[in-house]
Amino acid sequence: MKIAFPHMGNISVMGKTLFENLGHEVIVPPKNTKRTLELGTTYAPEFACFPLKVTLGNFIEAAEKGADTIFMAGGGGPCRFGLYGHIQKEILNDLGYDIDAVIIDPPVVSISDMLSKIWKVKNGSSIKNTKTALQKAWAKMHVLDYLDKKLSKTRPYEIISSKNKDGCDNIKDQIVKMVDKEEDLNKIYQVKEEIDHRIDNLSLAPRPKNPVQVAIVGEIYMVLESFANFDIEKRLGEMGCEVKRSVYLSEWVSQNIHPLGRQKYKQKKKKIEEKAKPYIKHFVGGHGRESIGEAVIYAGEGYDGIIHVAPFTCMPETTAQSVFPIVSEDFNLPVLSMIFDEQTGEAGTVTRLEAFTDLIKRKRKTA
């Protein structure tokens, strides 16, 4: 099996480790580029949401490199995400690629189907080997999320100069490569010490007692994939804002797949739903309700503003978007909804972020 999976944040590092340790040949698609998007938009249905188009581009580029199987998560609706893998397989087959698809739906859809797909991916590996593969993948996910969290707190204070070559961007690139290559489980976790060391040695301006803080909420792919959202997390940092995402990959996996993590997440999920209840009483698919509940929580924690990101035509996040003006007024909290598709321009995105950060900084001065 020559297996491929789409890019979404740092998921390629985790996926490559998991599948290689299970004995598969892994075809990692090239990094997202303009060509990736052009391929996706050319062959995807026009009405399909943006993540389907970008990830279809990933799969076409992987098929060009010889992939014969695509791996996707599924879903039980009402979000269209659960259909991505099925549609993408049909498109790839129509394009002449002999592609199979492994689409793993959550247990609430069908436990037996989920187990049969996991068994297929397991590829006859022993329990010991499977456990090791999962542990390594988990460790890499955890360490790279740790890196992203540290950088989001560091970037606003980075002093850019010709002497300060080992900046946040270089640290990010080097650590990702380091984690990607490392196969020793203990050494993977030790990379956290290297992250701390490198960041501690950066030239930084003093962190204020009350830093400007912005939270990013919304649809998971748009929150995590920097190509799709024009790297808004990094740009906000460069504009002087500490940034927190509503979701990190390791947390999502823990909360939705890991048995102990799912139990632990129940309390947090209950709190999010309670906070969202005055505005959205029921599950609306995807992360729509979570976007509202988390924004209310961030308001209580003193965040200065919320960036809400979503793909164009995303039903759950469109529902959330319609409610955000009320949340913004109730909590005197600036909210910027940013809707992305293949027509979205980088310059317009940056201009909107600059205007938003100017607004929240002025709001502080007049408070």
Side-chain angles (χ1 to χ4, degrees), residues 5 19 21 32 128 131 155 193 254 259 261 292 305 313 323 344 357 360:
F5 42 82
F19 292 122
N21 278 272
N32 285 328
K128 182 180 178 182
K131 181 182 177 183
R155 188 169 278 114
E193 297 173 12
S254 173
I292 296 297
T313 75
V323 172
T344 307
T357 54
I360 59 177

Side-chain angles (χ1 to χ4, degrees), residues 284-296:
V284 294
H287 296 83
R289 181 166 56 174
E290 284 85 348
S291 293
I292 296 297
E294 284 160 343
V296 173

Side-chain angles (χ1 to χ4, degrees), residues 68-84:
D68 60 22
T69 304
I70 62 172
F71 179 86
M72 277 291 283
C79 172
R80 291 174 289 180
F81 173 75
L83 300 174
Y84 280 16

Side-chain angles (χ1 to χ4, degrees), residues 184-320:
D184 184 283
L185 184 59
N186 291 326
K187 289 184 179 178
I188 294 170
Y189 282 113
Q190 288 172 7
V191 175
K192 290 172 71 175
E193 297 173 12
E194 180 67 18
I195 294 169
D196 290 341
H197 173 73
R198 293 198 183 197
I199 289 179
D200 288 345
N201 282 284
L202 282 175
S203 296
L204 302 174
R207 183 177 186 266
K209 290 183 180 178
N210 188 17
V212 177
Q213 293 181 302
V214 174
I216 301 175
V217 304
E219 192 271 340
I220 182 171
Y221 183 85
M222 298 309 303
V223 172
L224 295 181
E225 179 48 46
S226 59
F227 173 82
N229 65 30
F230 292 109
D231 221 346
I232 59 173
E233 183 174 340
K234 175 187 169 185
R235 293 180 189 277
L236 285 167
E238 292 171 346
M239 294 175 191
C241 304
E242 292 189 10
V243 181
K244 184 175 183 180
R245 297 181 212 149
S246 60
V247 61
Y248 289 84
L249 190 59
S250 61
E251 293 174 359
W252 185 89
V253 170
S254 173
Q255 293 164 1
N256 291 276
I257 298 177
H258 195 286
L260 294 178
R262 292 181 67 185
Q263 285 298 321
K264 192 175 178 182
Y265 178 58
K266 280 185 177 179
Q267 289 300 318
K268 182 181 178 183
K269 185 179 180 183
K270 185 178 179 183
K271 181 179 179 182
I272 292 171
E273 291 174 357
E274 286 175 351
K275 295 295 183 183
K277 197 170 184 179
Y279 309 97
I280 297 180
K281 292 182 172 58
H282 307 287
F283 178 63
V284 294
H287 296 83
R289 181 166 56 174
E290 284 85 348
S291 293
I292 296 297
E294 284 160 343
V296 173
I297 292 172
Y298 288 132
E301 293 176 354
Y303 275 73
D304 296 277
I306 301 291
I307 303 287
H308 171 229
V309 294
F312 181 56
T313 75
C314 174
M315 186 275 287
E317 298 301 337
T318 300
T319 304

Side-chain angles (χ1 to χ4, degrees), residues 88-152:
Q88 289 164 334
K89 178 182 181 300
E90 293 301 318
I91 293 173
L92 288 163
N93 290 157
D94 287 346
L95 290 173
Y97 297 108
D98 186 16
I99 291 282
D100 192 10
V102 177
I103 303 164
I104 296 187
D105 292 315
V108 292
V109 176
S110 170
I111 291 179
S112 60
D113 181 71
M114 185 187 77
L115 292 176
S116 70
K117 301 288 180 56
I118 291 174
W119 185 260
K120 184 176 181 179
V121 172
K122 184 172 171 288
N123 196 30
S125 295
S126 65
I127 293 176
K128 182 180 178 182
N129 282 346
T130 303
K131 181 182 177 183
T132 300
L134 290 169
Q135 286 177 321
K136 288 180 182 178
W138 170 257
K140 292 188 176 187
M141 224 178 351
H142 175 74
V143 170
L144 291 179
D145 279 350
Y146 179 80
L147 169 66
D148 285 345
K149 290 176 182 177
K150 292 281 287 188
L151 289 179
S152 72

